[in-house]
């Protein structure tokens, strides 16, 4: 079968260039699966970094360029780009720029495909005014629409699979199953009264001061660290550069367990099981909110420090309605974690507020879950746009 004939059956093409390790492809992969599984769409996902995708989808390790998984056809985005007939709807994830030949093929189609640029998630107010707007291509007869995920009814919402919240509730209710899952991960028996924390972050030069704070604290802390960029900072604290997956490191009241890289379902369970989650980027940031546990966000750094505006915009929404002391402690730790202050100095006040923050975060998660999910909103937008 020729590429052109095979391509004619696709409802959606999604293009993803991996910039932020797993955030870009994490969002794109969830989107592709949601369109296929929950809306019966024929979906083709193009990804330029096959190795990064393989970490999220191990089945890709066994194929070179094309994978059929979870109802999605995944293809390696290579150069030169192959001649294919564009799908009826095209998602350009995070302004990744479509191949020139594919753009020309879009322009040659009648009617032209619906072209959507899926933007990065932001809680900033201006997002509502830009969501859904169109921008004509400077040369070709094509119109690109900007689709913004977000936290309000005037945005595209957040990625959330049907039944996700119910799965989380069942996980918490199954004490025995949760204990077996910990053992499956290789986590030793938790000390009595331990605060269980997951850590997924970018490089964090000041991490050693936080680890020292936990090591010297009266309450035990169990820190679970999946493979990722922050592991090197953890190992430097323990002076154990050779430690690998499965290692259990101890210093005072602190126990650190190095976990393997977890697939999306296992990572969700990790977030559900912990008392506090340090997350990064966009995909794990959203999953932490569905976990309904207190969390700390390590935002992706941008030029001119504009990411601090995004951080503050989210904090303003997330902390609305909580008491002033908890809001201040949370802001101080989040800002310090993102390079604006001393995280170890901010930790004690934040730790005192954790019970109140936990109740608030459950309410925040429930409120978000009452709104339509991003995949459903995107499908609705596409149906209205092509009428």
């Amino acid at each position: 079968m020729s590429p052109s004939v095979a391509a004619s059956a696709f409802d959606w093409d999604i293009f993803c260039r991996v910039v932020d390790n797993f955030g870009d492809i994490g969002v794109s992969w969830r989107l592709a699966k949601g369109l296929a599984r929950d809306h019966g769409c024929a979906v083709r996902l193009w990804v330029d970094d096959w190795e990064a995708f393989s970490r999220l989808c191990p089945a890709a390790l066994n194929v070179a360029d094309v994978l059929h998984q979870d109802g999605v056809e995944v293809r390696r985005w290579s150069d030169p780009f192959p001649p294919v007939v564009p799908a009826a709807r095209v998602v350009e994830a995070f302004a990744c720029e479509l191949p020139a030949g594919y753009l020309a093929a879009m322009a040659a189609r009648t009617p032209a495909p619906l072209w959507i640029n899926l933007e990065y998630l932001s809680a900033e107010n201006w997002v509502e005014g830009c969501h859904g707007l169109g921008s004509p291509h400077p040369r070709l007869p094509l119109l690109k629409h900007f689709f913004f995920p977000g936290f309000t009814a005037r945005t595209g919402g957040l990625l959330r699979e049907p039944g996700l919240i119910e799965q989380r509730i069942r996980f918490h209710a199954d004490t025995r199953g949760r204990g077996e899952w910990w053992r499956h991960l290789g986590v030793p028996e938790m000390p009595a009264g331990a605060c269980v924390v997951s850590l997924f972050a970018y490089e964090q030069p000041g991490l050693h001061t936080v680890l020292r704070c936990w090591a010297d604290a009266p309450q035990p802390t169990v820190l679970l660290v999946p493979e990722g960029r922050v592991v090197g900072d953890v190992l430097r604290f323990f002076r154990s550069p050779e430690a690998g997956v499965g290692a259990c490191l101890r210093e005072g009241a602190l126990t650190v367990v190095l976990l393997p890289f977890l697939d999306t379902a296992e990572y969700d369970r990790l977030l559900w099981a912990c008392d506090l989650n340090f997350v990064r980027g966009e995909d794990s940031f959203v999953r932490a909110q569905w976990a309904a546990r207190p969390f700390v966000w390590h935002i992706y750094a941008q030029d001119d420090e504009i990411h601090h505006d995004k951080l503050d915009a989210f904090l303003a929404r997330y902390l609305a309605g909580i008491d002033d002391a908890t809001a201040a402690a949370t802001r101080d730790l989040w800002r310090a974690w993102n390079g604006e202050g001393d995280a170890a100095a901010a930790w004690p006040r934040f730790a005192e507020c954790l019970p109140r923050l936990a109740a608030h975060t459950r309410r925040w998660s429930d409120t978000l879950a009452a709104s339509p999910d991003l995949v459903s909103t995107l499908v609705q937008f596409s149906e209205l746009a092509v009428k």
Side-chain angles (χ1 to χ4, degrees):
M1 182 178 291
S2 71
S4 296
V5 173
S8 64
F10 290 101
D11 303 310
W12 293 83
D13 269 329
I14 302 172
F15 286 81
C16 174
R17 286 197 185 277
V18 178
V19 177
D20 177 21
N21 285 125
F22 305 106
D24 300 324
I25 184 56
V27 170
S28 299
W29 181 224
R30 290 188 194 277
L31 173 62
K33 290 189 292 183
L35 287 168
R37 178 191 59 237
D38 305 325
H39 295 272
C41 301
V43 184
R44 180 172 51 187
L45 171 63
W46 299 89
V47 57
D48 69 328
D49 189 335
W50 202 258
E51 181 179 357
F53 174 64
S54 299
R55 301 299 299 276
L56 297 179
C57 180
L61 290 169
N62 302 319
V63 298
D65 298 300
V66 181
L67 172 71
H68 293 89
Q69 184 76 18
D70 295 319
V72 178
E73 179 173 300
V74 187
R75 290 201 181 191
R76 187 191 297 268
W77 180 353
S78 57
D79 187 25
F81 193 80
V84 296
V85 175
R89 298 165 178 84
V90 179
V91 174
E92 178 183 348
F94 315 118
C96 62
E97 297 188 7
L98 301 179
Y102 186 92
L103 271 175
M106 287 172 61
R109 274 197 58 163
T110 303
L114 174 65
W115 182 12
I116 297 170
N117 182 41
L118 178 65
E119 293 283 353
Y120 286 105
L121 173 63
S122 177
E124 294 169 291
N125 291 328
W126 63 264
V127 165
E128 292 184 336
C130 295
H131 176 61
L133 293 183
S135 175
H137 190 277
R139 294 179 293 99
L140 300 173
L142 295 171
L143 182 67
K144 176 160 61 175
H145 298 268
F146 296 96
F147 193 91
F148 284 84
F151 302 92
T152 72
R154 295 180 61 189
T155 66
L158 302 173
L159 282 168
R160 184 186 75 249
E161 299 83 4
L164 177 67
I165 307 304
E166 291 75 15
Q167 291 176 35
R168 186 195 74 208
I169 293 171
R170 288 195 298 270
F171 179 83
H172 282 296
D174 185 4
T175 304
R176 180 176 177 181
R178 194 164 64 252
E180 292 175 351
W181 181 77
W182 281 129
R183 288 188 288 274
H184 165 71
L185 281 186
V187 177
E189 186 173 348
M190 303 289 181
C195 180
V196 184
V197 182
S198 77
L199 174 63
F200 188 56
Y202 303 113
E203 292 83 358
Q204 186 58 267
L207 179 62
H208 68 283
T209 63
V210 179
L211 297 180
R212 174 49 56 195
C213 182
W214 290 340
D216 295 342
Q219 179 192 23
T221 297
V222 176
L223 182 65
L224 306 172
V225 188
E227 284 182 286
R229 290 164 59 175
V230 78
V231 169
D233 296 316
V234 174
L235 297 182
R236 276 187 286 277
F237 174 81
F238 286 97
R239 299 172 296 281
S240 302
E242 303 303 320
V245 170
C248 184
L249 309 171
R250 292 185 171 89
E251 175 85 15
L254 173 64
T255 300
V256 172
V257 182
L258 301 182
L259 302 178
F261 189 88
L262 303 177
D263 65 23
T264 53
E266 291 286 85
Y267 185 67
D268 277 336
R269 294 186 184 97
L270 178 67
L271 296 176
W272 299 344
C274 290
D275 301 305
L276 173 65
N277 296 300
F278 287 80
V279 293
R280 75 180 202 199
E282 181 168 324
D283 188 51
S284 61
F285 169 53
V286 172
R287 306 313 285 190
Q289 292 171 71
W290 298 135
R293 299 288 201 179
F295 62 101
V296 180
W297 183 26
H298 198 177
I299 192 170
Y300 183 76
Q302 295 177 275
D303 294 337
D304 300 322
E305 304 294 311
I306 61 174
H307 55 285
H308 291 301
D309 294 335
K310 293 180 66 174
L311 187 77
D312 288 343
F314 176 76
L315 282 169
R317 291 191 185 275
Y318 170 51
L319 297 175
I322 203 169
D323 64 277
D324 291 344
T326 302
T330 302
R331 285 193 185 93
D332 288 348
L333 181 65
W334 279 46
R335 288 169 177 167
W337 192 245
N338 285 278
E340 292 190 313
D342 183 342
W347 170 257
R349 285 194 305 119
F350 180 80
E352 289 178 4
C353 296
L354 271 176
R356 296 193 296 277
L357 189 61
H360 176 80
T361 305
R362 284 194 296 273
R363 292 191 294 271
W364 169 260
S365 182
D366 290 344
T367 299
L368 292 178
S371 299
D373 67 278
L374 185 142
V375 178
S376 298
T377 305
L378 182 64
V379 169
Q380 182 182 43
F381 176 83
S382 73
E383 290 173 347
L384 292 174
V386 299
K387 285 184 178 179

